[in-house]
Amino acid sequence: IALSATVFLGFALARTITQPIQEVTRQAAVIAGGEFGEPVTVRSHDEIGQLAAGFNYLRERLQQTLQEISDEKEKVEAVLANLNDGVLALDPAGRIVHLNPAARGLLRLPQAPADVRGRRWTEVFPELGLSAELARAQGGTPVTVRLDGEKTGGRVLKVHLDPFKSGTRHAGVVLTLQDITEQEQLESLRREFVANVSHELRTPLTTIKSYVETLLDNEDALEPSLSRRFLAVINAEVDRMTRLVRDLLQLAQLDAGRVRWDKRPLDLATVVAEVAERFRMPAERAGLTLSVSSAPGLPPVIADRDRVEQVLANLIGNAIKFTPSGGRIELRLTREGSMVRTTV
């Protein structure tokens, strides 16, 4: 009887020890498979109970940490997805591990992201090259390169290659792509504009200098009428430079967005007729015919009178300058729905 009781008590005691351990083992296997399941039941306050409580605490902390990591990953992916600049990540072997929608658009990639992940950069984009730059970036040196021409569809791309690490281990290269086509075009226009302005300023300055030198060198020998004519030329050239500088200031204000508009209801036909009248004499001297035609019943427009007159003066002045003698300059106003079209 004593032996039987001992065996029974031993078996019951072993069950009380092994059952919680087996439950912890099963839950650990479930967590290893990616699921968190249910917490382990704590049946006592002894060492086995403390083990079960500690396992439940670890389970909750692991679940919370993984949720935080998942939330941060979603935030980063949302930021990358909404960036205007393209971002690609390559592993140490040069395989694509991530690219955002902007990168797909800039590189004109027809495949879905899943179709290119895991493939090498040189395999997906052989025409772009960058093998030497990738090798330098993988060696730990950031590189910036400019891509243009047919391989980028006529656009100009600025590509920055930067190595990144995971701890002390080299984890790959991040490529940042920026479309600078418009910026390059603006810079080209700016250089052309500066060259044109320099040329425009050089001509009146040369004229003024030559006439002033003539007046200084021949002050006593020149007739008053000739001196007055020289001064009139100098005055006209100064006015021309003043207009040019004023136009430059207005362009700078337009570029900076600091122009103030005084928009009011405006009878456009009256404005066009008044501006045309100012240019009638210069047109006749150039042997040109200047005419104005206006459709009946034109509605008033909301506009800045000074700016409209400035545009019309520029267009009519260019027309007088470049139309051969004997030609015609026509100003027409027509109605198109709720709009008024002015044509020179």
Side-chain angles (χ1 to χ4, degrees):
I1 292 171
L3 183 59
S4 299
T6 301
V7 171
F8 176 78
L9 289 174
F11 180 76
L13 182 61
R15 288 277 296 172
T16 59
I17 295 175
T18 59
Q19 188 174 359
I21 294 177
Q22 290 174 350
E23 188 175 355
V24 169
T25 304
R26 286 195 301 272
Q27 291 297 333
V30 171
I31 292 174
E35 300 291 337
F36 288 94
E38 297 294 330
V40 176
T41 304
V42 180
R43 294 185 173 87
S44 62
H45 298 285
D46 56 7
E47 289 79 359
I48 300 299
Q50 292 176 8
L51 174 63
F55 179 83
N56 287 337
Y57 175 75
L58 288 176
R59 170 186 167 277
E60 291 176 3
R61 289 294 300 158
L62 178 61
Q63 187 175 13
Q64 181 180 354
T65 302
L66 289 178
Q67 184 62 45
E68 290 175 355
I69 293 174
S70 177
D71 292 343
E72 290 299 321
K73 180 183 177 183
E74 290 179 359
K75 290 178 184 177
V76 172
E77 288 182 348
V79 170
L80 290 176
N82 290 282
L83 279 178
N84 290 327
D85 294 343
V87 178
L88 285 96
L90 309 180
D91 65 10
R95 291 185 292 264
I96 299 173
V97 295
H98 180 82
L99 74 163
N100 66 347
R104 290 183 57 203
L106 291 174
L107 297 172
R108 299 189 174 183
L109 190 64
Q111 300 102 320
D115 297 334
V116 297
R117 287 197 182 105
R119 296 169 60 187
R120 293 182 181 275
W121 166 270
T122 52
E123 176 190 351
V124 181
F125 306 105
E127 71 282 358
L128 295 179
L130 298 183
S131 299
E133 290 80 3
L134 281 172
R136 289 179 59 192
Q138 288 168 346
T141 304
V143 182
T144 301
V145 64
R146 181 178 180 272
L147 298 177
D148 56 9
E150 294 182 1
K151 57 189 177 184
T152 59
R155 292 174 299 172
V156 182
L157 299 181
K158 181 181 179 183
V159 184
H160 184 72
L161 300 89
D162 201 11
F164 68 95
K165 294 183 178 180
S166 178
T168 58
R169 181 177 58 87
H170 175 66
V173 177
V174 173
L175 286 83
T176 307
L177 298 96
Q178 186 178 10
D179 189 347
I180 59 171
T181 306
E182 186 175 350
Q183 180 180 338
E184 289 281 320
Q185 291 173 346
L186 289 174
E187 188 62 30
S188 176
L189 289 173
R190 196 182 302 276
R191 288 194 295 268
E192 183 180 350
F193 177 73
V194 170
N196 290 336
V197 168
S198 301
H199 175 73
E200 291 292 333
L201 286 175
R202 190 183 300 116
T203 302
L205 283 173
T206 303
T207 304
I208 291 172
K209 182 176 176 59
S210 62
Y211 277 90
V212 169
E213 288 176 347
T214 303
L215 287 171
L216 290 174
D217 294 339
N218 305 280
E219 183 179 2
D220 298 331
L222 289 176
E223 296 181 2
S225 60
L226 189 58
S227 298
R228 186 172 183 82
R229 205 175 86 193
F230 283 2
L231 291 173
V233 172
I234 294 173
N235 184 61
E237 292 298 325
V238 170
D239 289 341
R240 178 181 169 190
M241 291 177 61
T242 302
R243 288 195 301 271
L244 183 59
V245 172
R246 185 187 64 234
D247 291 344
L248 288 176
L249 291 175
Q250 290 175 348
L251 285 172
Q253 291 176 343
L254 284 168
D255 192 37
R258 295 197 300 266
V259 175
R260 287 190 173 185
W261 303 95
D262 184 18
K263 295 185 178 182
R264 300 180 182 181
L266 190 65
D267 183 0
L268 202 55
T270 302
V271 175
V272 170
E274 291 177 358
V275 175
E277 192 60 32
R278 298 208 307 259
F279 284 90
R280 198 167 296 281
M281 288 300 295
E284 290 178 358
R285 284 198 299 266
L288 304 173
T289 303
L290 181 62
S291 64
V292 179
S293 63
S294 176
L298 290 177
V301 298
I302 305 297
D304 186 320
R305 183 187 182 102
D306 291 338
R307 304 301 180 189
V308 171
E309 289 183 354
Q310 182 183 3
V311 172
L312 289 170
N314 274 323
L315 293 175
I316 299 172
N318 286 338
I320 293 174
K321 184 177 179 181
F322 295 107
T323 303
S325 179
R328 290 175 55 83
I329 300 173
E330 299 179 357
L331 283 73
R332 294 189 298 271
L333 288 91
T334 56
R335 181 168 182 170
E336 296 185 4
S338 60
M339 310 291 286
V340 177
R341 177 185 292 275
T342 308
T343 307
V344 179

